[in-house]
Amino acid sequence: MPTKQETLPIPERAQQILRLLIEEYIRSGQPVGSRTLSQMGSISFSSATIRNVMGDLEDMGFLTSPHTSAGRIPTAQGYRFFVDKLVRVSTLDTSEIQRFQANLEANLTPEELLKTASNYLSQMTHMAGIITVPRQNAVIFDHIEFIALSDQRVLVVLITNDREVQNRIIKVDRDFSRAELEYAANYVNREYVGMDLTSVRDKIKTELESARADMHDQMSAVIDMAGHVLMTDDNTEKDAVIVEGQTNLMTFEELSDVELLKKLFDTFNQKRDILHLLENCIAAEGVSIFIGQETGHQIPDECSIVTAPYNSDGNVIGMLGVIGPTRMAYDRIIPIVDVTSKLLGAALNFK
């Protein structure tokens, strides 16, 4: 978890210049020089004074010069100080919040609510919206049936938690008779009934790895068929995170490098690092901000992540947030993430 920096002996004048420089860089995406700052109506220092202060801030590690003759841009340390000490959080438009709230209050399933929230984050920030799917309680295996279809396909009817029914079609390597399918169903129902699916998968994996020579053909076919169905985990890491708006990030110049985009989109595709990061800060209260290397995962250093937990019945059940360049409008992103988490939690409480 990123922690707020210790208070540094930075004069108020230097803090004012640092805040204005970062705000201008976030707005323009271009290095900011002393002349640009001196022309702002909100500052009364001369260009020479500003230039000297910018040099001091660079020596302290808050700014850097991308080119010798260019202006300055903030470093990750500069962004961290800005976020912790200087950012002025804006107020969101009330009508926009009300429209989003109305969308959440529509007749949506919990899964649809999560996708709506991720879409909202993406659309409002023009970045990538992310949200973790609440982990389900243990799924208990109750009953299974196999029904032969054409073209070496089998319809599987799986019942869990005494009432939840899933229908799946699996592809097998040969045609099975009705008697074989009944035998397989009877075996699976007898051996695994009442077990949670995690334990079922572990047991099947062990049996699949045992010497096939110790099994007769029919038993081997049964284990293979059970493995087709029950070794498929519907709650994988890829399914545990919803990501919307990845392509928005291609519009930012600092993220337009081909190799950087490839790394970023690989992260979105795998989702493992995003999931681990969000789960690691699930105990945090309010909005958390990770800048560059602070993520501790394989997320590009050029990116920041703003996250917040969402609740149901008073308990934190997931995290949501926004991924974008370090040059993001934190003053606007922070309240968007905060409001979205609160409205999503409120909507889930009514389901």
Side-chain angles (χ1 to χ4, degrees):
M1 287 289 298
T3 56
K4 290 191 175 184
Q5 285 183 323
E6 297 297 324
T7 301
L8 298 174
I10 302 179
E12 183 177 345
R13 178 175 63 181
Q15 293 189 33
Q16 183 182 2
I17 291 172
L18 179 62
R19 177 177 61 79
L20 291 174
L21 185 148
I22 293 179
E23 289 176 346
E24 175 60 21
Y25 179 65
I26 289 173
R27 186 195 66 79
S28 69
Q30 299 298 318
V32 180
S34 57
R35 186 169 181 273
T36 299
L37 293 179
S38 66
Q39 292 174 341
M40 293 182 176
S42 57
I43 197 168
S44 58
F45 309 125
S46 68
S47 180
T49 298
I50 295 172
R51 186 162 51 250
N52 290 334
V53 173
M54 289 170 63
D56 293 338
L57 289 170
E58 185 171 4
D59 291 339
M60 298 173 68
F62 292 101
L63 300 176
T64 187
S65 300
H67 306 290
T68 303
S69 59
R72 267 72 164 198
I73 64 174
T75 62
Q77 182 181 349
Y79 278 123
R80 172 48 59 193
F81 188 85
F82 173 75
V83 165
D84 290 345
K85 309 287 187 181
L86 306 176
V87 70
R88 298 174 177 177
V89 176
S90 61
T91 301
L92 297 183
D93 182 78
T94 303
S95 62
E96 180 60 41
I97 295 175
Q98 290 174 341
R99 282 195 295 271
F100 174 53
Q101 187 173 16
N103 289 335
L104 288 180
E105 291 176 351
N107 189 24
L108 301 177
T109 66
E111 292 76 15
E112 290 170 335
L113 283 174
L114 299 182
K115 190 172 182 65
T116 299
S118 187
N119 263 317
Y120 175 78
L121 288 169
S122 173
Q123 292 171 5
M124 288 293 291
T125 64
H126 305 291
M127 298 180 191
I130 55 176
I131 185 166
T132 62
V133 176
R135 292 196 177 277
Q136 297 180 342
N137 296 325
V139 179
I140 304 301
F141 171 76
D142 290 315
H143 187 79
I144 199 167
E145 292 183 17
F146 299 110
I147 302 171
L149 302 175
S150 60
D151 300 324
Q152 295 183 346
R153 295 177 304 153
V154 174
L155 171 63
V156 182
V157 181
L158 176 65
I159 302 176
T160 59
N161 294 341
D162 199 34
R163 65 185 182 279
E164 298 174 9
V165 180
Q166 301 178 41
N167 295 317
R168 305 180 188 176
I169 296 177
I170 61 174
K171 182 73 173 177
V172 292
D173 55 8
R174 68 177 179 85
D175 292 320
F176 286 87
S177 67
R178 180 176 178 179
E180 287 177 314
L181 294 178
E182 288 181 353
Y183 179 89
N186 289 337
Y187 173 84
V188 174
N189 290 328
R190 182 177 66 251
E191 292 295 317
Y192 304 132
V193 65
M195 296 174 60
D196 67 87
L197 287 191
T198 300
S199 300
V200 171
R201 292 181 184 111
D202 290 342
K203 187 172 181 180
I204 290 177
K205 184 177 180 181
T206 300
E207 292 174 346
L208 285 171
E209 292 172 350
S210 66
R212 293 305 176 94
D214 296 336
M215 296 184 187
H216 57 76
D217 290 342
Q218 192 173 29
M219 181 58 67
S220 178
V222 168
I223 297 301
D224 279 338
M225 193 174 300
H228 269 297
V229 181
L230 300 175
M231 290 295 287
T232 302
D233 190 349
D234 290 334
N235 192 27
T236 62
E237 288 177 333
K238 284 188 177 183
D239 295 328
V241 181
I242 297 172
V243 182
E244 299 288 341
Q246 301 97 311
T247 56
N248 288 340
L249 302 183
M250 298 174 67
T251 63
F252 293 93
E253 183 178 351
E254 55 266 60
L255 300 180
S256 61
D257 178 76
V258 173
E259 289 301 315
L260 177 59
L261 279 174
K262 183 178 182 300
K263 180 179 179 182
L264 188 57
F265 278 82
D266 283 345
T267 300
F268 285 134
N269 184 52
Q270 295 296 326
K271 298 185 181 177
R272 183 183 302 109
D273 293 311
I274 297 174
L275 176 63
H276 291 175
L277 169 64
L278 294 179
E279 288 189 334
N280 286 341
C281 63
I282 201 167
E285 295 183 5
V287 175
S288 298
I289 302 169
F290 300 84
I291 300 171
Q293 294 181 345
E294 291 175 354
T295 64
H297 294 273
Q298 298 302 313
I299 296 169
D301 294 345
E302 294 82 357
C303 291
S304 288
I305 303 180
V306 181
T307 71
Y310 64 92
N311 301 270
S312 180
D313 297 325
N315 298 312
V316 175
I317 60 172
M319 300 290 296
L320 57 75
V322 168
I323 295 181
T326 53
R327 185 181 64 87
M328 66 167 62
Y330 296 96
D331 63 324
R332 177 167 168 77
I333 303 297
I334 290 170
I336 288 175
V337 170
D338 187 40
V339 167
T340 303
S341 69
K342 290 179 170 62
L343 292 180
L344 176 61
L348 288 170
N349 280 328
F350 286 102
K351 298 298 176 182

